[in-house]
Amino acid sequence: IKQFVNDVNWGELDYLIIDLPPGTGDVHITIAQMANINGIVMVTTPQEVSMSDCRKAVNMFRMQGVSVPVLGIVENMAYFVPKELPDNKYYLFGKDGGKKMAAEFQLNFLGEVPIYQSIQQGGDSGTPAVLGDGPDAVALQQIAKNVAQQVAMLNASKESTATVSQ
């Protein structure tokens, strides 16, 4: 990750998004130590085990000495919608876990990512679902707008986050 962040000529970026593994650990602290991070988006599934990892990470990023702003919570795998029954939602892993966690931590709920087969197919074919016009794309686009809004508000309200000291 250090090489990825430091040795690539990124040029002018609006956003650099790095998908970290769940939980807390060396990777998370290393990222916070080597870059000025404007904010973190926490992603969880509605399952308690996922939310438990997410809670630990929120608390870690809020610790004194780390203090990386948490922009909000996204709930992944929020529900399943079969293609042949587009009006049906099946909550395979529970319901509203991300919303409840956002309320618990007084964070913004940034949106739900449903389980649509088109998301998997788009990833495999190299055409991201977010570029489409279906309900899966709409959900992903809304989350992106919500994240951008939170970043803009954070940037307008204070100076850049300092790099965590070692």
Side-chain angles (χ1 to χ4, degrees), residues 87-143:
D87 294 329
N88 292 21
K89 288 184 180 180
Y90 298 96
Y91 297 91
L92 304 176
F93 302 106
K95 185 175 180 189
D96 294 333
K99 287 180 185 175
K100 291 172 187 169
M101 184 181 304
E104 172 186 338
F105 283 102
Q106 298 177 349
L107 293 168
N108 298 295
F109 182 67
L110 301 170
E112 299 173 319
V113 179
I115 301 172
Y116 281 97
Q117 189 172 358
S118 53
I119 294 174
Q120 172 269 319
Q121 290 169 335
D124 285 352
S125 72
T127 306
V130 72
L131 299 177
D133 58 2
D136 52 345
V138 171
L140 294 168
Q141 291 164 5
Q142 187 59 55
I143 291 168

Side-chain angles (χ1 to χ4, degrees), residues 3 16 29 40 55 88 115 123 126-128 140 144 156 159-161 164:
Q3 184 175 18
L16 175 61
I29 295 296
I40 300 289
R55 281 185 189 95
N88 292 21
I115 301 172
T127 306
L140 294 168
E159 294 181 23
S160 177
T161 304
V164 174

